Amino acid sequence: MKVYISADIEGVAGVVHGEHTLRDGKEHDYARKLMTEEVNACIEGALEAGADEIVVNDSHGTMRNIYPDELHSKAMLLMGSPKKLAMVEGLTAEYDAVLFVGYHTRAGTNGVLNHTFSGRVIKTIKVNSTDMGEFGLNALVVGYFHVPTVFVSGCNLLADEARAVIPEIESAIVKESISRTAALNLSPSESRLLIRQGTKRSLKDVRSKTPFRMEGPFTVEIEFLNTGYADAVEILPIYERRNPLTVSFKNEDWLHCYRLIRGAIMIANSVQ
């Protein structure tokens, strides 16, 4: 069984603030260790379930967070950026299942550290009028390859968001959101136990599970936090200006849509 793990940091137990998530944060290195250990717990659960090939994609920020020398020896690590498919780079139809570790809720929710790809520039991303966060947008890429997304870990509100997209998904709730920068956290050891157990359950009878898919054509709307970001993105003719804060585009192919979303965010982030 070939398993793919996409790992973020905001949904990790004990991570609640920018000091944890930003490269220059005083507590960032400690958060990286917490992230690495939660990923290891997922790897252990996958091995117990019978996985014989595991790839981990470091999916947070610069994508250089997981400590390679502390990662479980049975997994390979995809790290660094930019990547064309970002948080799901390297995914193919050869995988049997995908698991998301340390994920967070979409921008504008009450989830701890909520945002959608970039808290600096993005207000909302809508696909066919449905507001979607990183979980849904990435799960659509997974489904594009006809692979099921079977597991997610993070806060209680992220678990709700994931179940709204994939009702049967297995989840490990490692903290309860209180505000954007506060949460009631399980201990790291208890969080890792839940992740290992949930991973193992999620991979049982995995070939019978249904990938999350939406049929095109897709209309994508990206609403920015600042009109200057929309000004910059609108320069490329693929994007149509809907209103001062919003650009949109249409495409039949979800993989193209995902890359256009990522491209728009990179352009917006270049604006000072």
Side-chain angles (χ1 to χ4, degrees), residues 214-225:
M214 291 172 58
E215 297 303 321
F218 300 99
T219 298
V220 178
E221 298 174 73
I222 305 173
E223 184 179 11
F224 295 99
L225 292 169

Side-chain angles (χ1 to χ4, degrees), residues 115-149:
H115 65 281
T116 302
F117 288 132
S118 172
R120 177 178 176 265
V121 302
I122 296 295
K123 184 176 181 181
T124 61
I125 297 176
K126 293 182 179 180
V127 180
N128 294 347
S129 300
T130 299
D131 192 353
M132 301 190 80
E134 292 174 26
F135 176 86
L137 296 168
N138 289 328
L140 275 176
V141 178
V142 178
Y144 176 93
F145 291 106
H146 297 277
V147 179
T149 301

Side-chain angles (χ1 to χ4, degrees), residues 1 7 22 24 43 47 49 68 85 100 126 142 178 187 218 231 260:
M1 179 168 52
L22 301 175
D24 58 356
I43 295 168
L47 291 169
L85 293 183
F100 295 160
K126 293 182 179 180
V142 178
I178 294 173
S187 70
F218 300 99
D231 292 339
L260 286 168

Side-chain angles (χ1 to χ4, degrees), residues 16 38 69 87 106 151 160 191 193 196 198 218-219 253:
V16 298
E38 287 201 1
D69 60 339
M87 300 177 78
R106 68 179 182 270
F151 173 85
D160 292 341
S191 299
L193 177 62
R196 180 173 61 80
F218 300 99
T219 298
D253 185 286

Side-chain angles (χ1 to χ4, degrees), residues 26 46 50 60 77 84-85 89 119 143 146 151 162 181 185 220 223 239 243 261-262 265 272:
K26 294 179 181 178
H60 173 69
L77 178 61
K84 286 187 292 186
L85 293 183
E89 176 64 33
H146 297 277
F151 173 85
T181 51
N185 298 268
V220 178
E223 184 179 11
Y239 303 101
N243 59 49
I261 291 169
R262 297 298 308 168
I265 292 170
Q272 300 301 314

